[in-house]
Amino acid sequence: MSSAVRTRRSVLPLEEEVFVGLQRMADWLLQGVEQLLKEQGLSPAQYNVLRILRGAGPAGQSCREIARHMLTRDPDMTRLLDRMEKRGLIARERQKLDRRVVTTRMTPAGLKLLKALDQPVREYHRRRFRHISVVRLKALAQLLEESRRAAPG
């Protein structure tokens, strides 16, 4: 990469500059999404749970499976799910064959809320990335995935 591409004020090693840049970008992106979700009384973690459960379909998922698919780690998944259940967005059921396993499913109210957010969130993403060509967005997505897959653990 040409040094002309890097900012003139940067004195960080390139890898650290990329790391800091990704953190800043993630914060910038989350700010707008958080506002959309806040209007619906959801946190980003709750929204993520609803998306995971929609993908799981009627079979639902265990708490451990949901935690594994989360975009960010939530130290207390049980409390997060408790709040969502209390609100009627999810339902949990203890399995008969293995009582240790509790399956979580999205309720119709949770699905309705998620569907109402689909378009505004899509539009938000389009606005945030409209200045980048599709070719460059695809390249960025590939680079991010490549870095994630190469990371240990």
Side-chain angles (χ1 to χ4, degrees):
M1 174 180 269
S2 164
S3 61
V5 174
R6 296 180 69 195
T7 60
R8 61 182 158 73
R9 61 186 162 92
S10 178
V11 292
L12 300 174
L14 181 58
E15 296 82 0
E16 191 172 343
E17 184 178 343
V18 169
F19 181 84
V20 169
L22 286 170
Q23 285 184 309
R24 284 184 176 147
M25 180 62 129
D27 183 60
W28 177 71
L29 289 170
L30 275 174
Q31 286 176 16
V33 169
E34 285 174 344
Q35 186 57 43
L36 282 172
L37 299 177
K38 187 177 181 181
E39 292 168 9
Q40 298 297 323
L42 283 180
S43 69
Q46 290 170 327
Y47 175 69
N48 193 201
V49 168
L50 290 177
R51 291 183 60 214
I52 290 166
L53 291 175
R54 178 168 55 188
Q61 287 196 338
S62 70
C63 184
R64 178 174 284 177
E65 290 169 324
I66 294 169
R68 199 180 51 160
H69 289 97
M70 292 291 286
L71 293 175
T72 57
R73 302 216 188 278
D74 192 302
D76 199 347
M77 280 299 295
T78 302
R79 282 198 185 123
L80 175 69
L81 296 177
D82 285 345
R83 288 188 301 271
M84 294 178 74
E85 186 174 37
K86 187 175 183 179
R87 222 178 128 188
L89 301 174
I90 64 168
R92 293 184 284 184
E93 177 184 5
R94 191 166 299 281
Q95 295 302 298
K96 290 176 177 58
L97 294 176
D98 186 348
R99 305 250 330 127
R100 296 170 296 176
V101 177
V102 177
T103 300
T104 304
R105 293 178 181 84
M106 187 168 5
T107 63
L111 184 58
K112 182 180 177 182
L113 178 58
L114 190 57
K115 283 182 178 181
L117 285 164
D118 283 343
Q119 192 60 32
V121 170
R122 253 187 235 112
E123 285 301 318
Y124 172 77
H125 292 153
R126 281 190 196 110
R127 283 192 313 274
R128 288 295 196 183
F129 293 106
R130 69 177 170 234
H131 64 286
I132 303 175
S133 72
V134 171
V135 170
R136 292 185 73 188
L137 279 175
K138 286 180 181 179
L140 177 57
Q142 288 175 322
L143 284 169
L144 292 171
E145 181 61 19
E146 180 181 319
S147 293
R148 188 188 66 78
R149 286 182 188 240

